[in-house]
Amino acid sequence: MHFHFKNGLLFLELNPPNPWDSEPRSPEDLAFGEVQITYLTHACMDLRLGDKRMVFDPWLIGPAFARGWWLLHEPPSDWLERLYQADLIYISHMHSDHLSYPTLKKVAGRRPDIPIYVGNTERPVFWNLKRSGVQLTNINVVPFGIWQQVDKNLRFMILMDGVHPEMDTCIIVEYKGHKILNTVDCTRPNGGRLPMKVDLMMSDFAGGASGFPMTFSGGKFTEEWKAQFIKTERKKLLNYKARLVKDLQPRIYCPFAGYFVESHPSDKYIKETNIKNDPNELNNLIKKNSDVLTWTPRPGATLDLGRMLKDPTDRKGIIEPPEGTKIYKDSWDFGPYLRILNAAVGDEIFRHSCWIKEYFTWAGFKDYNLVVRMIETDEDFNPFPGGYDYLVDFLDLSFPKERPSREHPYEEIRSRVDVIRHVVKHGLLWDDLYIGFQTRLQRDPDVYHHLFWNHFQIKLPLTPPNWKSFLMYCGSIILQTNEQTRRKRDQICDCQRWGVGGRGIG
């Protein structure tokens, strides 16, 4: 902490110590086989640390972001057994390519009490656990920047992201003084302050985890503009990651958490447009500018940290999967997951158009000058027959028949009917729509409305709309309406019976 004066003002410069430097430990020699890191899929690593097993972000089955992301890699055949044997699981954040309820449901079938650790984020990582139906009984929410002791040799520390502190986290794992840094999806992990010269660092690298710009059209969003933008952004990300690795000087670097594919046939356009970074290209860039060792992981490959630190040329330092092992998935079980989404389409809620007001009132976003047109669509983003097409004016949360005469920004959001109704019914976040490529968007002017998107992607209420009471209310309104109609009909019949006309007695 430093004090200095400038223009008569006293400035206080905060320079807090790095939390991982508290109670420092000197690295001890590692036996061969003592610390082994096995890559399973995407952001999932299985770490053997002495006699403990730790797993990062298990997504091994099913889709992420509704139906937009599917696994690129074929997980090793023993993945479930590996998860059963874990002593602890770290889940970095709530996005479904890291918190995979279908995967955890499998684990909970045998080990509902498996210890799971998450950071104390503003929006709880497991905010939707109860609704998911997955029985997990040992979720531990830990404070940021504090060592969590697992045994005498093993500890870990969860840190927050500087850009998305409300949801993103990263982790340092330390075994016998050797550090493993996993920055996961953090945009600016720990505000940019990270440990130098760790033994192993892993981070995302691929890009493409957003609906922008692939799902946008109109104005500047031509195919040529999108292609150029994607190319430029991916290169910027690649250079940023290479620079970060060069600055931090880990002994070994591994690019991961970007191995997904838009494999559903209806997302062919996204798959072809959303070009991602090549891990080998990043690793070559790193090797060109530093002496950091790199590892492009293949499912089932195991890195032996003790061997790699002693002799990077040791052939047993990284054991690749056996010859003939299937690396890339070529089929995905779409059916069961699409049926879950489809179940929402015919739900009773959507028989009553007043669900729209109910939903957006529940969502709680208003007093913002933006008009949005929401259109339910089929697979190809054409209007869904009998679907809803409506305006929401977020200035006063009204639902006008036409756009207001005042000056206002305007967005048109086309959403696949199965996904939007599933999201509405269950009170889910709009990441499923936006990051999952389940929308097509136009906007005028071409401005990103951060407050709007941030609210619907992160800040929606933690409990879904009360559709049960909504339907009871709707039912009573319908009964009242039916009763009024019946009485009116009876009165008309009585009038006709007694010869009573509209203008008095005939």
Side-chain angles (χ1 to χ4, degrees):
M1 192 183 296
H2 305 286
F3 295 94
H4 57 93
F5 280 94
K6 189 177 178 184
N7 299 334
L9 293 171
L10 175 65
F11 282 87
L12 170 64
E13 195 179 310
L14 294 173
N15 193 17
N18 294 317
W20 53 86
D21 289 334
S22 67
E23 307 159 56
R25 293 181 181 174
S26 300
E28 299 174 36
D29 284 344
L30 296 176
F32 292 172
E34 190 174 359
V35 174
Q36 295 185 320
I37 298 98
T38 302
Y39 169 72
L40 302 184
T41 54
H42 189 58
C44 183
M45 290 280 189
D46 175 16
L47 290 75
R48 183 190 292 275
L49 304 145
D51 58 3
K52 289 283 186 280
R53 298 280 289 267
M54 183 174 190
V55 170
F56 295 156
D57 287 337
W59 170 34
L60 284 303
I61 52 166
F65 300 110
R67 42 176 281 197
W69 294 30
W70 302 82
L71 288 166
L72 176 70
H73 287 146
E74 186 70 49
S77 55
D78 65 345
W79 69 263
L80 188 54
E81 203 51 49
R82 285 175 176 273
L83 263 55
Y84 286 151
Q85 289 171 14
D87 294 286
L88 63 157
I89 293 174
Y90 160 66
I91 292 180
S92 60
H93 62 294
M94 64 186 177
H95 281 163
S96 48
D97 58 320
H98 299 264
L99 168 54
S100 165
Y101 281 117
T103 304
L104 292 176
K105 190 174 183 179
K106 288 269 191 195
V107 178
R110 192 193 294 183
R111 287 197 60 198
D113 60 345
I114 195 162
I116 296 177
Y117 289 85
V118 296
N120 188 15
T121 45
E122 184 188 329
R123 188 174 188 98
V125 174
F126 278 94
W127 68 273
N128 203 31
L129 177 64
K130 195 174 173 187
R131 298 277 303 177
S132 76
V134 178
Q135 302 293 318
L136 292 167
T137 59
N138 195 356
I139 292 165
N140 304 271
V141 181
V142 301
F144 292 117
I146 307 269
W147 282 119
Q148 306 296 320
Q149 203 71 40
V150 179
D151 63 22
K152 70 179 197 318
N153 296 318
L154 176 63
R155 58 184 182 172
F156 68 89
M157 175 183 289
I158 298 178
L159 301 166
M160 70 165 70
D161 182 31
V163 174
H164 293 291
E166 69 284 336
M167 60 163 268
D168 258 342
T169 75
C170 56
I171 191 169
I172 302 167
V173 175
E174 188 183 82
Y175 177 81
K176 287 190 175 178
H178 294 273
K179 290 187 180 69
I180 296 169
L181 170 65
N182 175 9
T183 65
V184 206
D185 285 359
C186 288
T187 310
R188 194 165 162 75
N190 198 44
R193 291 170 68 118
L194 291 168
M196 304 266 297
K197 297 188 166 148
V198 299
D199 293 279
L200 171 63
M201 173 182 173
M202 50 190 91
S203 80
D204 67 339
F205 71 97
S210 164
F212 189 86
M214 294 80 63
T215 60
F216 285 72
S217 62
K220 72 182 181 192
F221 293 105
T222 61
E223 293 310 309
E224 294 74 24
W225 186 92
K226 289 190 215 180
Q228 189 53 55
F229 178 88
I230 290 165
K231 192 177 173 185
T232 306
E233 286 302 300
R234 299 297 177 268
K235 193 136 198 82
K236 272 162 49 179
L237 178 63
L238 213 61
N239 289 328
Y240 165 68
K241 292 293 175 184
R243 198 167 57 248
L244 185 64
V245 171
K246 189 184 177 188
D247 290 347
L248 294 176
Q249 299 168 45
R251 193 72 201 92
I252 306 161
Y253 171 74
C254 172
F256 84 149
Y259 302 110
F260 70 93
V261 63
E262 306 86 344
S263 61
H264 193 275
S266 65
D267 289 324
K268 182 171 179 278
Y269 165 76
I270 300 291
K271 184 182 175 184
E272 290 169 356
T273 315
N274 190 21
I275 308 300
K276 299 168 196 78
N277 283 327
D278 177 346
N280 290 313
E281 193 183 337
L282 173 56
N283 283 343
N284 289 335
L285 194 59
I286 288 165
K287 284 187 281 199
K288 200 168 78 177
N289 296 320
S290 69
D291 59 356
V292 174
L293 304 169
T294 62
W295 176 35
T296 302
R298 286 146 59 90
T302 298
L303 181 143
D304 185 321
L305 196 60
R307 283 183 184 275
M308 288 296 284
L309 294 178
K310 187 167 188 190
D311 177 8
T313 63
D314 186 336
R315 286 189 167 185
K316 292 180 181 173
I318 294 172
I319 304 292
E320 292 292 348
E323 196 67 42
T325 300
K326 189 175 178 184
I327 301 300
Y328 296 101
K329 286 183 83 72
D330 53 18
S331 66
W332 295 264
D333 192 10
F334 299 129
Y337 304 101
L338 266 66
R339 281 194 288 277
I340 290 166
L341 297 173
N342 260 310
V345 177
D347 197 280
E348 196 185 343
I349 297 159
F350 304 105
R351 291 182 198 166
H352 313 285
S353 60
C354 48
W355 73 262
I356 296 166
K357 184 178 181 184
E358 182 76 14
Y359 175 72
F360 285 98
T361 304
W362 164 84
F365 183 75
K366 58 181 178 179
D367 302 322
Y368 185 82
N369 186 24
L370 174 66
V371 176
V372 174
R373 182 180 175 191
M374 301 287 294
I375 304 168
E376 293 185 327
T377 75
D378 61 15
E379 289 287 277
D380 302 316
F381 298 99
N382 299 313
F384 182 69
Y388 287 94
D389 178 342
Y390 55 93
L391 291 167
V392 186
D393 185 343
F394 286 103
L395 191 60
D396 58 0
L397 202 54
S398 60
F399 306 90
K401 289 278 181 278
E402 49 192 49
R403 286 173 61 177
S405 55
R406 70 167 198 278
E407 208 167 289
H408 61 273
Y410 174 73
E411 289 208 19
E412 184 179 287
I413 303 176
R414 294 172 174 259
S415 310
R416 285 181 175 146
V417 65
D418 57 341
V419 183
I420 185 69
R421 291 195 182 183
H422 179 76
V423 164
V424 164
K425 179 184 174 181
H426 298 288
L428 302 176
L429 298 167
W430 282 26
D431 282 332
D432 283 350
L433 293 161
Y434 186 68
I435 302 179
F437 317 114
Q438 301 302 305
T439 58
R440 293 297 180 267
L441 300 111
Q442 293 191 26
R443 57 193 187 191
D444 179 28
D446 177 26
V447 172
Y448 175 61
H449 293 279
H450 171 76
L451 286 175
F452 168 75
W453 284 105
N454 195 55
H455 186 90
F456 282 91
Q457 286 181 283
I458 293 175
K459 294 186 178 296
L460 287 177
L462 296 175
T463 50
N466 189 340
W467 294 119
K468 195 174 177 184
S469 90
F470 166 79
L471 288 172
M472 282 170 67
Y473 173 74
C474 281
S476 67
I477 294 289
I478 289 163
L479 283 173
Q480 283 174 28
T481 308
N482 289 345
E483 181 61 22
Q484 285 166 356
T485 307
R486 190 186 62 75
R487 281 185 191 162
K488 222 172 201 170
R489 196 173 56 237
D490 288 352
Q491 282 174 350
I492 291 166
C493 290
D494 287 346
C495 288
Q496 286 169 345
R497 192 180 310 147
W498 295 105
V500 179
R503 293 183 184 173
I505 298 169

